[in-house]
Each structure stands twice: as C-alpha cells, then as structure tokens.
Amino acid sequence: MDRLDLHLHTTYSDGSQPPAEVLAMAHKVHVSALAITDHDTVDGLPEAITAGTDLGIEVIPGVEISSRLADTELHVLGYFLDWKDPVLLSRLASLRASRHRRNPRIVEKLNELGLGITYEEVKALAGTDSVGRPHIARVLMEKGYVKSAKEAFDRYLAQGARAYVPRELPDPPEAIAWIREARGIPVLAHPVWLKASAAGLQGLCATLQGHGLRGVEVHYSTHNPQQTSEYLNIARQLDLLITGGSDYHGITKPGIEVGVGRGGLKVPSALLEPLRKAAATQ
Ligand code: AMP
Ligand code: ZN
Ligand code: FE
Ligand code: FE
C-alpha cells in the first residue's frame, strides 16, 4: 500500500533527524515518493536523493517559505523546483539571514525573563544556517527550562507569547512568485493554521490563485476528516492541485510520524502525477 509524504523537515532546517533517517522511516511505512520541504533551504536535497536512490524512494525537490498575511503567517510549499537556480538560492539565503536578525532578539528576551541561554548555543545545536524557533525550544528543553517544545512555544515562543519577535517575511504573492520563478509548483501549506471559515479560505485561495498558487495541502497530520473534506472541496471548486504530508519534525512535534502523521494520515500515491504534470507544463 503505497503512500506519499510531501511535507518533511530534516536537520537542514528545524527537523531533528537527518535526511537519511527520514528516508529510512519513510521506507518502513511504504512511502513511494516524498518531498523534503525544509524551511528556507534546499541544502538537504543531495543527501535525501542519495538515500532515496538506495531505498527506491523518489525524492521530489521541495521547500517551505513562510509569508506574512496581516498579523498571521501563511506558509507556501514549493515542489519540483529548479533547486540549483541561483536566484532562488539567493532569495532563500536572504530569508535565512532574516532568521539571524530575529533569533538573537528572542534570546535577549528570554535572558530578560531569567532563562540563561545564548544564541551561540542555539546555532551549535541547530548545526544549520536555517535556524528556527524549534531550535531555541530544544535548547530550553536541554537546559531544563521547559519540559517540551509545546511548553516552550506556549510560554515563550508562540506569537503573542513573552519572548516572541516577528521575522521580516515576504507577502504571500511574493513567496508564490519566488517558487514560480524557480519553475516550481506553489501550494498553500496546512490551511488549518489560517483558522479561516470555509468561505474565507476559498476566497483567499482564489485570490492567491490569481497570483500563481497551484495547489492546497488537503491531507495533513492535524486535519480532521471534516476539515480534509472542506479543503478537498475548495481545491476541486477552484481546480487547484491536491497535496498532502505529515510536516514531520521529529522531537519538536512528538506524535507526528513520517508518512502516517498521527496515525490516520494517508496521502494517495495518485496525487503525484498531476503535480508532476503541472510542473512539466508550466
Ligand atoms: P520559525 O520558522 O523560526 O518562525 O519557527 C516556526 C516553526 O516552529 C514552524 O514552522 C513550526 O515548525 C514550529 N512551531 C510552531 N508552533 C509550534 C509549536 N507549538 N510546537 C512546536 N513547533 C512549533
Ligand atoms: Zn518547522
Ligand atoms: Fe509550515
Ligand atoms: Fe512544515
């Protein structure tokens, strides 16, 4: 019973496991093709492709770019992009640089709250240039300031929490354009995060479609069956591509596993060919 997983993070961004381990886990649950969608980087792809060749798993080049929509974040996934494109690479580098401007300010706020961590420690734990709040959460866990990543986000790191600092982000049309200009397929990630009504979400998708959006992540670890069918409806009404994935991060999102999410995720293999065709013909 083959399945896909088109949303996976590795140690090249804020996932806790390296690409080869993610691929090995995918192999165990019969994933036939997957996409590595690290935040603001494609640097994990060579390792993933090598592991995929060994295991007989197709690795689709991907990325996840956060954008700013009013006072919330909207994440855009990009698939089948030309991941060696120099313009894309310099745009991703600029996004990573914005992380390095924000993160020390978060650490400063944590210090003011009496939590003794340094940005050097965060960068050392991250071991990558795409440093995110989950890395800060892990340092807080390791130092015993919190028991879980959830506690770190709830108390300190989530939007509105005491050590929150926003990051400079592109707007959604810009994020979409960056993916399109690298000949990739832009897809709205985890629509559940937007907390929009069905009508509101459909309107937003239609607007973003006007800016080049091509798909919606209908299947997702934390979508319930009703949400999944609502998002499926929207995708069908607007003739958007349907994708899905676990958003596996390892230890910062406990209980979410590669390929199966919380256990009930099943991304049908049949979704891959329309995506591939769209990428080949755009
Ligand atoms: P950043 O990209 O550094 O702003 O961090 C945002 C990332 O943190 C998201 O993409 C998620 O992967 C992760 N995240 C957000 N909220 C939580 C949470 N409550 N628990 C664990 N991880 C989270
Ligand atoms: Zn993440
Ligand atoms: Fe996301
Ligand atoms: Fe993600």
Side-chain angles (χ1 to χ4, degrees):
M1 270 227 306
D2 279 0
R3 58 173 82 227
L4 307 175
D5 192 337
L6 302 178
H7 192 159
L8 293 160
H9 296 273
T10 76
T11 44
Y12 282 83
S13 66
D14 57 13
S16 63
Q17 309 310 124
E21 274 183 40
V22 172
L23 269 282
M25 290 183 272
H27 187 249
K28 278 195 189 145
V29 293
H30 309 287
V31 168
S32 56
L34 57 77
I36 300 295
T37 55
D38 273 314
H39 302 281
D40 304 340
T41 183
V42 291
D43 290 351
L45 284 170
E47 259 179 64
I49 290 165
T50 301
T53 306
D54 290 347
L55 296 167
I57 297 176
E58 179 180 357
V59 175
I60 293 140
V63 75
E64 184 173 20
I65 298 177
S66 307
S67 69
R68 172 91 47 220
L69 179 72
D71 59 356
T72 169
E73 282 188 20
L74 181 150
H75 293 186
V76 184
L77 295 158
Y79 294 116
F80 287 110
L81 19 74
D82 178 358
W83 55 282
K84 295 183 180 171
D85 179 73
V87 174
L88 174 73
L89 293 176
S90 86
R91 285 168 168 162
L92 296 180
S94 78
L95 292 172
R96 297 195 297 272
S98 87
R99 294 176 169 277
H100 293 301
R101 287 192 292 277
R102 175 203 60 176
N103 295 339
R105 296 175 57 210
I106 296 178
V107 170
E108 220 170 276
K109 285 196 172 190
L110 290 168
N111 293 163
E112 283 163 16
L113 292 166
L115 287 77
I117 73 167
T118 67
Y119 192 42
E120 291 310 311
E121 289 167 337
V122 175
K123 284 192 287 189
L125 175 137
T128 169
D129 190 36
S130 186
V131 183
R133 281 177 285 166
H135 295 121
I136 300 174
R138 279 168 59 192
V139 172
L140 292 175
M141 282 161 72
E142 284 189 5
K143 293 207 150 185
Y145 289 118
V146 294
K147 290 196 176 60
S148 64
K150 185 182 182 314
E151 186 186 346
F153 272 87
D154 289 349
R155 292 180 67 179
Y156 304 111
L157 302 174
Q159 187 171 356
R162 284 190 292 173
Y164 178 71
V165 178
R167 185 157 66 91
E168 307 143 53
L169 293 174
D171 63 17
E174 237 176 326
I176 289 167
W178 290 358
I179 292 164
R180 292 288 295 243
E181 286 167 23
R183 290 155 296 283
I185 299 293
V187 171
L188 172 66
H190 40 64
V192 68
W193 285 27
L194 295 170
K195 298 188 173 80
S197 65
L201 183 64
Q202 179 153 343
L204 176 64
C205 287
T207 302
L208 295 181
Q209 193 171 22
H211 290 283
L213 186 78
R214 298 295 306 276
V216 179
E217 189 175 46
V218 167
H219 305 279
Y220 187 71
S221 293
T222 63
H223 288 168
N224 65 35
Q226 191 199 326
Q227 288 162 337
T228 304
S229 82
E230 179 188 315
Y231 306 145
L232 190 58
N233 242 341
I234 291 173
R236 284 182 176 152
Q237 297 246 354
L238 297 176
D239 199 20
L240 286 164
L241 293 157
I242 298 156
T243 73
S246 64
D247 207 3
Y248 174 81
H249 278 75
I251 61 178
T252 51
K253 290 195 181 172
I256 292 180
E257 302 300 337
V258 175
V260 298
R262 287 176 172 169
L265 182 73
K266 173 81 201 271
V267 185
S269 314
L271 298 179
L272 184 56
E273 287 317 308
L275 197 61
R276 194 197 307 282
K277 198 170 154 209
T281 56
Q282 78 165 339

